[in-house]
Amino acid sequence: MNTILAIQPESRQIGYAVFEGRALIDWGSKDLTSKPIGERNEIFAAPLFERLIHRFEPDVLVVPKPTRTSGSVRNLMLRMVHRAVNTYAFGVVSYSLTDIVSAFKDRIGDARPNKDNIRAVIVREFPELGGLQPRPRGRSDPEDFRVPMFDAIALAITFLTQQE
């Protein structure tokens, strides 16, 4: 049975999900805002990534594709992850939002394939996440700190769907 670690880095949070086969065994979101942007990789992201690797010993790491802005916090974190991966014996797979939407298309049905509907599908498939599902975001609402966690779960499900 494969262990899948999915990581979703963002500028303010980093989300992760761990699957053993198709079973979700761990998930979380880490707030990164207590340190300046330049220090977030060193102080929070890199140690979290190392702890997850040592604890779960994944067979594959699933990450989002980089954004177009090469100097974004997300891309800096992804580069850090790719450098760290070179010392481990597991593969790395990257998916775009288009890949994720495609993987969830059948599960969503006739609903619009957006992040809120993808999260609803995730909660339907993993009822233990029901109380954690972020509310749909309004224009002036800040992003819920659990969003990257749900995005990481969506990345892992996309990987599992591609493997079928």
Side-chain angles (χ1 to χ4, degrees):
M1 190 174 303
N2 285 342
T3 302
I4 301 153
L5 170 60
I7 294 180
Q8 176 70 40
E10 295 298 344
S11 61
R12 297 173 185 253
Q13 301 95 1
I14 186 167
Y16 69 91
V18 183
F19 281 73
E20 284 287 338
R22 297 197 69 75
L24 177 63
I25 62 168
D26 197 15
W27 60 88
S29 197
K30 175 97 172 138
D31 181 37
L32 305 176
T33 58
S34 64
K35 290 292 180 193
I37 288 176
E39 298 176 18
R40 290 178 186 172
N41 276 350
E42 299 289 324
I43 294 175
F44 290 122
L48 173 64
F49 180 65
E50 292 291 329
R51 280 194 309 273
L52 290 169
I53 288 173
H54 291 294
R55 181 174 173 201
F56 295 106
E57 299 177 355
D59 297 303
V60 65
L61 174 68
V62 185
V63 295
K65 289 203 179 209
T67 62
R68 291 182 182 171
T69 309
S70 64
S72 70
V73 173
R74 175 178 170 174
N75 287 353
L76 294 173
M77 285 187 200
L78 287 172
R79 283 198 288 278
M80 177 269 305
V81 165
H82 281 284
R83 280 193 306 273
V85 164
N86 290 333
T87 62
Y88 298 101
F90 54 80
V92 179
V93 181
S94 298
Y95 293 111
S96 67
L97 182 56
T98 304
D99 298 327
I100 295 167
V101 167
S102 177
F104 278 85
K105 204 168 200 85
D106 290 339
R107 290 177 167 97
I108 291 173
D110 292 335
R112 186 170 168 239
N114 61 26
K115 284 187 166 196
D116 292 322
N117 290 331
I118 288 172
R119 287 184 207 120
V121 168
I122 290 170
V123 168
R124 209 169 42 241
E125 292 184 15
F126 302 99
E128 62 270 29
L129 300 174
L132 301 174
Q133 182 179 2
R135 290 187 335 242
R137 184 176 169 191
R139 287 183 179 210
S140 62
D141 294 339
E143 186 167 82
D144 189 294
F145 77 97
R146 294 168 290 206
V147 167
M149 175 185 75
F150 276 86
D151 291 347
I153 294 167
L155 280 166
I157 291 171
T158 300
F159 173 77
L160 289 166
T161 302
Q162 297 281 328
Q163 300 303 303
E164 293 176 345

